[in-house]
Amino acid sequence: MKTIEVDDELYRYIASQTQHIGESASDILRRLLMMPQENLQVAPAPAPEVVMPVRPRGIVVSKDAGNAPQVDRVKEMRSLLISDEFAAQEKAIGRFMMILSSLYRIDSQGFTEAAAIKGRTRVYFADKEETLLASGKTTKPKAIPETPFWVITNTNTDRKRQMVEQLMTKMGFGGDITEKVCGEI
């Protein structure tokens, strides 16, 4: 197997073309670049230069029946999980915070509604640090980057996984991607 270097934008684009969990970059490129056998007899016309539009924050956009842009939530989460920035996180708390930030970016309204989840005695998410501090003595609240929310962080990794699982389920994510994301914390 050979190694090639690609810039971050191209890497995110390739990752956004993932059709199923576990699909390798080679499989994606093969699917995107290879021509079907029946087209090989005809010499292809020179391809015009394609300029990929830059999407803000690497968000994957698809079109629905009404041609309104829609964020492909599953591809966005898969892209996060295979990103260099995510891989560089050495601790569960860093991965946890990146996942929460991405979930908010993908669907801020869904995140806001789902963030009402609570533990038996603790509030997990709030729009103020004080709310979390009032729900327990050792909550260690942290601001979720690029969101108006705070989250408790003095929990073990399993509890962080449970919080993300509950959040993603309430946001309407499927079981496969939820399980994959939680397993990466």
Side-chain angles (χ1 to χ4, degrees):
M1 211 179 261
K2 302 290 183 196
T3 302
I4 60 171
E5 290 186 27
V6 295
D7 62 46
D8 290 340
E9 182 182 2
L10 181 57
Y11 181 81
R12 283 190 299 272
Y13 175 76
I14 293 168
S16 75
Q17 299 303 307
T18 303
Q19 289 185 341
H20 58 82
I21 294 174
E23 185 175 28
S24 71
S26 292
D27 292 340
I28 296 167
L29 288 171
R30 187 173 291 112
R31 179 172 35 79
L32 294 174
L33 299 174
M34 297 295 192
M35 295 174 40
Q37 286 297 92
E38 55 273 1
N39 289 345
L40 292 179
Q41 303 135 346
V42 180
E49 182 177 337
V50 177
V51 177
M52 294 293 297
V54 176
R55 296 181 187 111
R57 310 189 138 273
I59 292 179
V60 179
V61 177
S62 62
K63 301 271 185 178
D64 67 8
N67 290 331
Q70 299 281 323
V71 173
D72 188 327
R73 299 156 22 121
V74 173
K75 284 186 179 179
E76 263 305 292
M77 292 310 295
R78 287 180 182 155
S79 294
L80 170 70
L81 297 180
I82 63 173
S83 71
D84 292 338
E85 185 180 3
F86 189 81
Q89 299 298 316
E90 294 180 6
K91 296 188 177 189
I93 186 66
R95 295 185 296 273
F96 176 65
M97 296 301 275
M98 284 186 74
I99 288 167
L100 294 177
S101 183
S102 293
L103 288 170
Y104 181 84
R105 186 177 67 246
I106 290 168
D107 182 1
S108 59
Q109 182 177 348
F111 185 98
T112 301
E113 292 168 8
I117 61 173
K118 296 177 179 166
R120 227 181 20 186
T121 59
R122 286 183 170 178
V123 175
Y124 292 153
F125 300 96
D127 58 356
K128 296 180 198 143
E129 179 182 21
E130 294 77 24
T131 305
L132 297 178
L133 289 170
S135 77
K137 294 180 183 178
T138 58
T139 56
K140 290 192 180 178
K142 285 192 179 184
I144 302 171
E146 301 174 28
T147 79
F149 285 93
W150 289 73
V151 63
I152 63 171
T153 61
N154 192 20
T155 58
N156 62 30
T157 302
D158 283 339
R159 176 66 63 200
K160 287 177 178 69
R161 287 182 181 128
Q162 289 173 359
M163 290 166 63
V164 169
E165 179 181 16
Q166 290 175 19
L167 189 65
M168 290 181 73
T169 299
K170 285 192 176 245
M171 289 177 71
F173 281 88
D176 286 348
I177 190 63
T178 300
E179 183 180 333
K180 178 73 173 159
V181 169
C182 291
E184 294 295 326
I185 295 177

